[in-house]
Each structure stands twice: as C-alpha cells, then as structure tokens.
C-alpha cells in the first residue's frame, strides 16, 4: 500500500512495481532497461519508452511535478531515481 499524508494512493500493479523498484534503492538512478528487467522481466521485448508512460501515471497519482519533483526525478539521458529523504 502507498500513502501520502495518511491518504491511500491507488496504483495499478505496474505502477506499484515501478515505485517498489525505485524505492528499493533511493537515490540510485535506474535506466529504462533496468526498470524493465525489474518490473516486466528481462525477456520483455518492446519500446522502452513504456517506462516513461508508467512514470508519468505514477507522478500524477503521487501529485508530483516533474519540473519540481518531490518523489521521482528524471536524470536526463540516464533514467529515473527516487528522491532520498
């Protein structure tokens, strides 16, 4: 389960799995490929930008602004990382 300010956030299984992967190593930058291998599995074939779509949905549900992120940061040319608290 995911809560922000004691309010439950409803996530799809994939959104939850992406957040779980990022939160397992806060501060570590994950490439799209690393997230695909963790969330979907290494045999997955397709467009890696699918990760961007799920990150976008996750940000919206968390109320995160990509321009001033509180949770998920884009590291240009590399991937994504969860903000360390």
């Amino acid at each position: 389960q995911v809560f922000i300010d004691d309010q439950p956030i409803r996530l799809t299984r994939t959104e939850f799995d992406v957040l779980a992967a990022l939160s397992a190593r806060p501060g570590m930058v994950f490439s799209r490929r690393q997230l695909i291998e963790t969330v979907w599995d290494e045999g997955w074939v397709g467009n890696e930008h699918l990760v961007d779509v799920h990150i976008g949905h996750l940000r919206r549900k968390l109320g995160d602004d990509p321009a001033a992120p509180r949770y998920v940061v884009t590291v240009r040319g590399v991937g994504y990382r969860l903000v360390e608290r």
Side-chain angles (χ1 to χ4, degrees), residues 1 3 7-9 14 17 20 28-29 34 37 40 48 57 67 69 75:
Q1 293 181 320
F3 291 86
Q7 296 298 314
I9 307 298
T14 302
D17 289 346
M28 179 180 159
V29 179
Q34 287 173 309
E37 289 173 0
W40 285 269
E48 291 184 2
H57 293 172
V75 179

Side-chain angles (χ1 to χ4, degrees), residues 2 11 14-24 39 58 62 72 82:
V2 176
L11 301 177
T14 302
E15 292 161 355
F16 182 87
D17 289 346
V18 168
L19 182 59
L22 293 170
S23 64
V39 174
L58 183 59
L62 296 176
V72 180
L82 193 69

Side-chain angles (χ1 to χ4, degrees), residues 41-78:
D41 89 26
E42 54 201 43
W44 185 86
V45 177
N47 190 327
E48 291 184 2
H49 289 280
L50 171 71
V51 173
D52 303 339
V53 172
H54 287 284
I55 291 286
H57 293 172
L58 183 59
R59 281 179 167 152
R60 262 189 303 285
K61 290 181 179 182
L62 296 176
D64 210 5
D65 177 2
R70 295 183 321 170
Y71 305 112
V72 180
V73 175
T74 300
V75 179
R76 290 206 183 275
V78 182

Side-chain angles (χ1 to χ4, degrees), residues 23-39:
S23 64
R25 305 274 316 261
M28 179 180 159
V29 179
F30 288 84
S31 69
R32 287 182 187 98
R33 175 51 47 195
Q34 287 173 309
L35 287 170
I36 286 170
E37 289 173 0
T38 301
V39 174

